[in-house]
Amino acid sequence: MTGARKRVGVLISGRGSNLQALLDASTDPAFPAEIALVISNRPGVYGLERAQSAGVATATISHQDYPNRDSFDGAIDAALRGAGCEIVCLAGFMRIFTPGFVNRWPNRILNIHPSLLPSFTGLHVQRRAIEAGATIAGCTVHIVTPDLDSGPILAQAAVPVLPDDTEDSLSARILEQEHRLYPSALAWLAEGRVRIDGNRALVDGATASGVLLSPSL
Ligand code: GRF
């Protein structure tokens, strides 16, 4: 690729398997983004070790050390800007940002969510998909807006819900696709290929690739 790689801050709260997928993708010099900083709001989580092993700077900014959401968000914002970040990726980050924070990063924050949005926002979405009798589940990468799990959708991957699925087995099937989807979506944003039209994200050069039927006939 030509031009500088975009500097990315990744925000985590836990094991960081999506962070790992982004770190792995960015080891390719042709990948248009580099991970400049990993921030966790929880001390000691495994995702921090993954970042350190990859030689990436880390910070722990615990929400418990701040009197309110504004001051916590301000500390995150300062850390990201201090590291020269241009894009923010939420990867299992379990805090909700204030509108003020989100508006300071317009169309520059991505999130990955383990459902086919707009279905199943919030928590425990894999279990809720099974309980609702869905036959297709999946994951979504979307632009973060002040409303939870509802910004423009950049990319989605679908998987079947099998008759004997448990929350764990479905989560694992979805997670495998998360790890493929997130690096691609980040690359599109970093390459400047994403155009926002209302609540739609249009990706220059993207094509539809077929139809998914579940159960397949
Ligand atoms: C993933 O399922 C992601 O979609 C959701 O939180 C989980 C984080 O997993 N937002 P990991 O920390 O990336 O392994």
Side-chain angles (χ1 to χ4, degrees):
M1 67 158 285
T2 55
R5 309 212 297 167
K6 287 273 189 304
R7 291 176 69 79
V8 175
V10 183
L11 272 50
I12 62 169
S13 299
R15 68 186 167 183
S17 71
N18 278 288
L19 162 67
Q20 189 69 58
L22 299 177
L23 288 168
D24 291 348
S26 66
T27 61
D28 179 350
F31 192 73
E34 62 180 306
I35 312 305
L37 177 65
V38 172
I39 304 176
S40 174
N41 70 309
R42 293 204 187 117
V45 297
Y46 185 53
L48 290 168
E49 281 179 44
R50 294 181 190 267
Q52 282 150 10
S53 302
V56 170
T58 62
T60 299
I61 301 178
S62 171
H63 55 281
Q64 292 175 335
D65 293 339
Y66 294 84
N68 53 44
R69 297 205 306 146
D70 274 334
S71 57
F72 172 69
D73 288 4
I76 300 265
D77 186 71
L80 290 168
R81 288 182 199 280
C85 297
E86 300 152 281
I87 293 174
V88 181
C89 287
L90 309 185
F93 184 65
M94 299 302 284
R95 304 294 299 174
I96 296 172
F97 284 120
T98 55
F101 178 91
V102 174
N103 292 333
R104 285 200 291 279
W105 294 86
N107 299 330
R108 283 289 167 273
I109 309 174
L110 294 180
N111 182 41
I112 187 150
H113 181 80
S115 81
L116 292 174
L117 291 172
S119 293
F120 305 112
T121 61
L123 297 175
H124 308 299
V125 293
Q126 300 95 332
R127 187 177 75 212
R128 286 163 49 211
I130 294 171
E131 285 169 0
T135 61
I136 298 178
C139 52
T140 302
V141 176
H142 66 95
I143 303 269
V144 172
T145 57
D147 294 325
L148 184 69
D149 297 336
S150 57
I153 291 170
L154 211 52
Q156 296 186 301
V159 301
V161 181
L162 301 178
D164 56 357
D165 261 333
T166 61
E167 182 176 5
D168 283 350
S169 64
L170 179 59
S171 298
R173 191 175 307 119
I174 294 171
L175 195 63
E176 209 180 311
Q177 299 309 314
E178 293 184 38
H179 298 160
R180 296 178 58 208
L181 197 65
Y182 213 175
S184 301
L186 172 59
W188 297 334
L189 187 69
E191 286 164 351
R193 289 171 57 190
V194 177
R195 202 158 31 92
I196 305 297
D197 177 16
N199 205 43
R200 300 182 75 198
L202 305 171
V203 181
D204 289 343
T207 52
S209 61
V211 174
L212 177 66
L213 292 182
S214 177
S216 49
L217 303 170

